Amino acid sequence: MATRVLTKGGVLVGLCRLRQPRLVTAGYSLSGQFYATAAAAVNTAPLITEKTDVTDKILNIPLQTPDFFRLSELFSLQDLFDARVHLGHKKGCRHRLMEPYLFGCRLDQDIIDLDQTVEHLQSALNFTAHIAYRGGIILFISRRRQFGHLVESMARDCGEYAHARYWQGGLLTNAPIQYGPGVRLPDLIVFLSTLNNVFQQHVGIRDAAKMNIPTVGVVDSNCNPSLVTYPVPGNDDTPAAMELYCRLFKTVVNRAKDKRRQMELLHGQSATAPTASSL
Amino acid sequence: MEWTSSLIVPQDSIKSNWLIPAPPKVLSRQLCVSSALHRKNLAAAGPEKFSEEFIKKQVEEYNIGKRHLANIMGEDPETFTQQDIDRSIAYLFPSGLFDKRARPLMKVRPEFLPGQLKSVQWGADGRPFHFLFYTGKQSYYSLMHDTVAKVLAAEKQQVLLLSEGPVPQDTKPISLVGSRWLLKEELEELLVETISDHDYARFIQLMERLLSLPNCLSEKDFVQRYRKQLEIQSSKQQVAPLQYDENGVAYSTADGRRKTATCTVLLRDCGSGSISINGRDYLHYFPVLQDREQLMFPFHFLDMLGRFDGQCTVGGGGRSSQAGALRLAISRAMLSFLSEGQVESMRQAGLLTPDPRVKERKKPGQEGARRKFTWKKR
């Protein structure tokens, strides 16, 4: 799940689960689902109704353009610099796997390469937008006590979910027991800080990888980016940087949801128009 | 994990044995469809969850049924209580079964009563209703979130006011006298969720922090929701009204008990401070100073040493317990002559509390109540 396959439009593997909703009952998404035989896809009687046609069109149109949601105009390298996103930790705290993402080291402090950050952040936000467009559940996680309230408010404002508290062991892996049978797990997990309070990797990263849930994570120079699907190298300690990330994610999710509503109205109208005329 | 409900599998692959290799052209992975997998692990599923509308419908049906039953029995549907329902059902469906739980019953399930059961927390599309659902303790964490929001708002306001200038604010803090924080059990009941001791401690800490900020008066209602008013203990004291005899002299009677001694006391106002016990003077009845001190203590405490005349009868117990019983009886008798403040001070001094200590029984295998037999090493 950690590897990325570049497809048209830069949208990744996590999307296939949501591509054909008619094979899933009432939005209950399972992770081990893809063991159906190829024969199965052929034998299912294709119920071509107007409704599924419209849904297909709504779902496929955003995949045709690379930046359908125009997220490149949301931020620039200068904004990242002003929000102090390029500041990493000291040289001694550096993680070996973060070395490719670092620009250099100045007076023992690591500087993150903002060119790479811009690309990574672009693709991460694009992926988030597509997930939100398809009505997926997004869970924002951060174990930093200073920013917990900010993360929770941001999640509430964009209609998604947050977890800025102590992580109980089986929240993802033992979900039917903890929450009840028939619970739906998040379709995307966004880590605004991948470390927990004792500077170890957050358990949620490993659990999400186990449950085949794609992750977006802001990785600082002392974090391990290997299990994160979309790492975004950047600072996670400064309030300015955290406020920037929260603002960006909120805007992206809201924009994607508005776009979805717009598309439904547009294509829903065009679908019903011929029937209305036929009456 | 349920596999079959959302999987569409063609008929031929189910019938074919999974040991037979699949045809080379089509890449396929056969499913293991034994009946063991179909059986649901009911124990692991946990308590059943019901949706809100189901609960509401059940409660509505119960209420309608109750009214029908009242009409059948010829009684008023408005004042038909659960006891009446039980009686009517026992009458209409007589059952000879011994186990009470096996008999016919018409009651709302205790889980369906408001605030008992957590109904299903997500909608038809699977999206949970609450934004903190995935934390596991959504009500508790949402309460903490709101409290933190208030703390931050109060701090911001304080900073603004300070920047305007050091204005001496006479904002009185919220009065906490006469109330206490809700206990952990009460908070659990309020939130309909289990919380740990650590969580509870954190919550109290946060509330204290909110109260320590100067401009928290606006959150008074919010804070009072999590405080419980303490009842004034002295209001529980039942004070008998004063009685007057034929000469117009006020008197009152009371009883007292200590260990096995019982006594009754009759106190008369406008007296000279003479007390007679079982017909004898108290000096003769209690030769020991300690017992007389116990007797006088209520009068001495209220500075009414020469005011009352006492007529006491006492029986049972020994000299010390009789003195204690008399003290309690005198304090109780004096209540009708006193104001509320004096009653409260008496209560706090311990004059109105009956001493519960009695002789502990001897246990078998021991020499006395506590004393064990001498331990011998060999």
Side-chain angles (χ1 to χ4, degrees):
Chain A
M1 266 340 278
T3 55
R4 299 194 315 175
V5 175
L6 286 170
T7 58
K8 183 168 66 162
V11 175
L12 294 201
V13 135
L15 224 42
C16 358
R17 184 219 324 271
L18 299 166
R19 187 168 291 149
Q20 290 189 308
R22 61 172 177 262
L23 285 184
V24 181
T25 51
Y28 180 4
S29 63
L30 278 179
S31 33
Q33 257 205 102
F34 300 104
Y35 301 146
T37 60
V42 167
N43 280 6
T44 48
L47 308 154
I48 298 175
T49 57
E50 265 185 34
K51 191 139 190 247
T52 47
D53 242 359
V54 168
T55 325
D56 274 348
K57 215 176 6 172
I58 291 178
L59 292 178
N60 290 331
I61 287 177
L63 300 176
Q64 273 136 28
T65 27
D67 194 9
F68 182 71
F69 300 101
R70 293 200 315 275
L71 302 171
S72 43
E73 52 192 50
L74 279 181
F75 68 99
S76 68
L77 204 145
Q78 185 61 42
D79 293 333
L80 294 183
F81 184 82
D82 291 333
R84 306 192 249 284
V85 165
H86 59 290
L87 300 173
H89 287 272
K90 290 284 193 180
K91 190 166 69 175
C93 298
R94 191 192 304 168
H95 194 99
R96 199 173 63 83
L97 297 170
M98 285 299 287
E99 277 160 21
Y101 301 119
L102 296 179
F103 181 72
C105 187
R106 165 87 173 147
L107 294 173
D108 269 5
Q109 184 174 15
D110 287 331
I111 307 294
I112 295 167
D113 187 2
L114 283 183
D115 293 317
Q116 291 189 53
T117 302
V118 164
E119 287 166 19
H120 283 84
L121 189 56
Q122 200 89 264
S123 56
L125 289 176
N126 190 30
F127 184 63
T128 314
H130 281 269
I131 294 268
Y133 179 85
R134 284 152 180 271
I137 294 181
I138 304 179
L139 181 64
F140 292 95
I141 296 185
S142 165
R143 198 60 185 103
R144 306 285 312 233
R145 279 201 65 187
Q146 306 166 264
F147 309 121
H149 185 82
L150 176 67
V151 168
E152 287 183 344
S153 324
M154 178 266 287
R156 193 180 40 189
D157 290 337
C158 59
E160 297 297 335
Y161 306 87
H163 186 106
R165 308 283 175 172
Y166 178 73
W167 181 271
Q168 275 183 313
L171 288 186
L172 290 181
T173 44
N174 201 19
I177 314 286
Q178 296 235 344
Y179 301 117
V183 68
R184 182 176 160 188
L185 286 179
D187 299 306
L188 170 67
I189 298 187
V190 178
F191 285 92
L192 289 156
S193 160
T194 49
L195 297 182
N196 62 14
N197 285 355
V198 276
F199 302 105
Q200 288 166 342
Q201 198 188 39
H202 200 286
V203 173
I205 299 180
R206 191 200 65 191
D207 281 355
K210 280 189 188 175
M211 303 302 289
N212 288 349
I213 299 172
T215 39
V216 164
V218 174
V219 282
D220 205 349
S221 64
N222 57 352
C223 307
N224 183 355
S226 39
L227 278 180
V228 182
T229 333
Y230 287 87
V232 175
N235 189 8
D236 61 5
D237 303 290
T238 329
M242 287 302 278
E243 275 167 22
L244 175 80
Y245 298 136
C246 287
R247 192 166 44 85
L248 284 175
F249 278 108
K250 186 161 82 166
T251 322
V252 156
V253 169
N254 284 334
R255 201 180 263 205
K257 288 184 174 172
D258 290 337
K259 197 79 194 194
R260 176 63 185 248
R261 272 190 286 264
Q262 220 176 42
M263 294 285 267
E264 273 177 353
L265 282 171
L266 202 68
H267 293 277
Q269 259 175 11
S270 62
T272 53
T275 52
S277 63
S278 66
L279 282 167
Chain B
M1 274 251 200
E2 296 163 349
W3 291 66
T4 52
S5 58
S6 42
L7 219 41
I8 299 181
V9 176
Q11 291 304 307
D12 47 53
S13 73
I14 291 176
K15 287 184 203 149
S16 59
N17 189 346
W18 64 280
L19 283 171
I20 297 169
K25 233 187 184 174
V26 178
L27 273 169
S28 63
R29 199 193 286 208
Q30 295 286 0
L31 296 164
C32 178
V33 284
S34 70
S35 59
L37 276 174
H38 287 284
R39 237 182 292 127
K40 287 194 190 173
N41 190 355
L42 290 166
E48 253 186 295
K49 293 254 164 79
F50 301 96
S51 61
E52 281 282 352
E53 43 181 295
F54 177 76
I55 293 176
K56 238 193 293 190
K57 206 175 75 163
Q58 293 294 307
V59 172
E60 252 178 60
E61 281 179 8
Y62 166 80
N63 285 326
I64 292 172
K66 192 165 95 163
R67 295 184 79 90
H68 277 305
L69 188 61
N71 282 329
I72 291 169
M73 298 302 287
E75 296 195 28
D76 184 18
E78 307 296 332
T79 56
F80 209 56
T81 60
Q82 184 60 48
Q83 273 182 335
D84 296 327
I85 294 176
D86 294 337
R87 199 173 25 91
S88 322
I89 296 286
Y91 170 74
L92 290 169
F93 303 99
S95 162
L97 298 172
F98 293 131
D99 193 353
K100 294 272 177 2
R101 289 173 300 175
R103 296 190 183 170
L105 185 69
M106 182 166 158
K107 234 180 207 171
V108 179
R109 273 176 84 152
E111 301 103 62
F112 285 6
L113 291 169
Q116 281 300 313
L117 182 76
K118 280 207 133 165
S119 49
V120 160
Q121 306 275 333
W122 51 85
D125 57 351
R127 288 185 76 101
F129 300 128
H130 202 277
F131 75 108
L132 291 177
F133 170 77
Y134 288 106
T135 56
K137 300 184 216 175
Q138 61 183 51
S139 337
Y140 169 73
Y141 285 132
S142 121
L143 169 63
M144 295 293 274
H145 178 83
D146 295 334
T147 319
V148 166
K150 291 190 193 301
V151 166
L152 291 174
E155 282 176 355
K156 212 162 99 169
Q157 204 191 16
Q158 189 185 24
V159 163
L160 273 173
L161 288 169
L162 278 175
S163 65
E164 280 166 19
V167 176
Q169 288 142 35
D170 50 351
T171 48
K172 281 175 290 193
I174 301 170
S175 71
L176 302 171
V177 175
S179 58
R180 60 159 173 83
W181 289 116
L182 283 183
L183 295 173
K184 183 174 153 229
E185 288 76 25
E186 289 164 354
L187 190 63
E188 280 185 352
E189 216 181 325
L190 194 71
L191 296 174
V192 195
E193 218 170 48
T194 43
I195 53 179
S196 73
D197 290 327
H198 178 77
D199 293 335
Y200 176 69
R202 282 283 202 185
F203 170 67
I204 299 294
Q205 216 176 38
L206 188 61
M207 292 301 247
E208 294 286 346
R209 186 171 155 201
L210 177 65
L211 290 174
S212 70
L213 294 168
N215 30 323
C216 58
L217 209 63
S218 42
E219 278 91 40
K220 190 171 160 198
D221 297 320
F222 178 75
V223 171
Q224 292 291 9
R225 234 184 292 159
Y226 301 100
R227 285 191 79 90
K228 193 166 176 185
Q229 297 298 328
L230 294 165
E231 298 154 350
I232 303 167
Q233 291 290 344
S234 59
S235 57
K236 289 200 202 141
Q237 203 74 34
Q238 283 154 341
V239 178
L242 214 47
Q243 292 159 304
Y244 294 88
D245 66 4
E246 57 273 0
N247 297 342
V249 174
Y251 73 93
S252 77
T253 47
D255 291 333
R257 247 201 287 214
R258 168 101 211 272
K259 272 189 182 174
T260 33
T262 49
C263 69
T264 43
V265 154
L266 188 116
L267 276 185
R268 278 210 186 80
D269 205 354
C270 317
S272 56
S274 61
I275 303 178
S276 67
I277 308 177
N278 286 355
R280 289 158 68 195
D281 193 29
Y282 70 99
L283 202 50
H284 294 306
Y285 197 82
F286 286 128
V288 181
L289 177 68
Q290 179 194 326
D291 304 333
R292 290 199 297 273
E293 264 181 357
Q294 286 288 296
L295 205 62
M296 291 303 154
F297 179 43
F299 301 118
H300 181 66
F301 183 77
L302 296 161
D303 281 330
M304 297 175 181
L305 272 168
R307 183 170 150 186
F308 294 97
D309 261 346
Q311 227 178 298
C312 324
T313 45
V314 72
R319 57 151 234 258
S320 184
S321 43
Q322 282 183 349
L326 278 169
R327 186 183 101 169
L328 181 63
I330 288 170
S331 321
R332 282 181 180 167
M334 285 216 297
L335 286 180
S336 15
F337 295 93
L338 300 176
S339 68
E340 276 215 25
Q342 285 172 314
V343 166
E344 181 60 23
S345 64
M346 282 250 278
R347 185 190 74 83
Q348 291 202 351
L351 280 164
L352 301 173
T353 325
D355 199 334
R357 297 177 289 176
V358 288
K359 190 169 167 144
E360 198 175 316
R361 68 160 275 199
K362 178 199 173 312
K363 284 114 196 167
Q366 292 174 354
E367 198 167 316
R370 298 287 171 102
R371 163 119 173 99
K372 319 282 184 286
F373 291 121
T374 315
W375 178 74
K376 290 197 169 69
K377 201 164 180 178
R378 18 193 97 79

